[in-house]
Amino acid sequence: VISGNMAGIVAGSSTTIQGNLIGTNAAGTAAIPNTNEGVSLSGSNNLVGGLTTGLGNLISGNGDAGIQVEGASATNNTFLANSIGTNAAGTAAIANGGDGIALNNGASNNIIGGAVPGVNDGNLISGNTGSGIYIDQNSTGTQVLGNRIGTNGAGSAALPNGGDGITARNNSTGTLIGNSTPSGRNVISGNTGIGINF
């Protein structure tokens, strides 16, 4: 449990972050906020979450973004099977104060979710104050695959992000949202703003 700090985790490169509760109590039912981001990454080849049950993180209740990916050195990071902005059960919001995941200032070639057939490797990104995913105009090559954005964990009811499902600013080139495979398709529903806002 990583809660009540200035920021939850600040990392550079080649860090693995798995199985934590960041910004909540030990039960994952209420916020104990980190003042700033839950996770802040400035480097490359980080893995946040994982494919095996229990490796995903609960990143909720923080004062700013759930995950911030910042700068031109923030490349080739992967985010798998995390719950961002919800309780542990995925049934109610424990909002992060900013976006669920924010990619800023040239962060490039990052992968949010996955598309392995039969594997629940996408993230649940719901209940946040801002957009589910925010990609600024200088951040390129982002892949967004197999996530639920704005729904509950079952994908059966709305659990809105307060902004768009995905905000991708002009010139956030090379952004891929979903693909032609069933496992790569996102569910983007119930958000207060636009589903996908380019």
Side-chain angles (χ1 to χ4, degrees), residues 1 5 18 27 29 31 35 37 45 53 61-62 70 76 87 139 144-145 152-153 158 166 186:
V1 178
N5 305 287
Q18 295 177 327
T29 57
T35 304
E37 299 85 12
N45 300 308
T53 300
N62 299 286
E70 180 76 23
N76 300 308
N87 63 6
S139 296
V144 182
L145 301 170
N152 63 7
I166 300 173
N186 302 284

Side-chain angles (χ1 to χ4, degrees), residues 125-196:
I125 308 171
S126 299
N128 298 287
T129 302
S131 294
I133 299 172
Y134 178 87
I135 306 168
D136 85 358
Q137 62 186 6
N138 298 310
S139 296
T140 62
T142 305
Q143 297 183 52
V144 182
L145 301 170
N147 303 284
R148 285 153 292 158
I149 304 171
T151 75
N152 63 7
S156 60
L159 193 55
N161 294 292
D164 303 322
I166 300 173
T167 303
R169 291 301 180 206
N170 292 337
N171 299 320
S172 54
T173 57
T175 300
L176 175 68
I177 300 175
N179 63 22
S180 61
T181 68
S183 54
R185 296 170 185 165
N186 302 284
V187 177
I188 305 171
S189 298
N191 298 287
T192 302
I194 297 166
I196 301 173

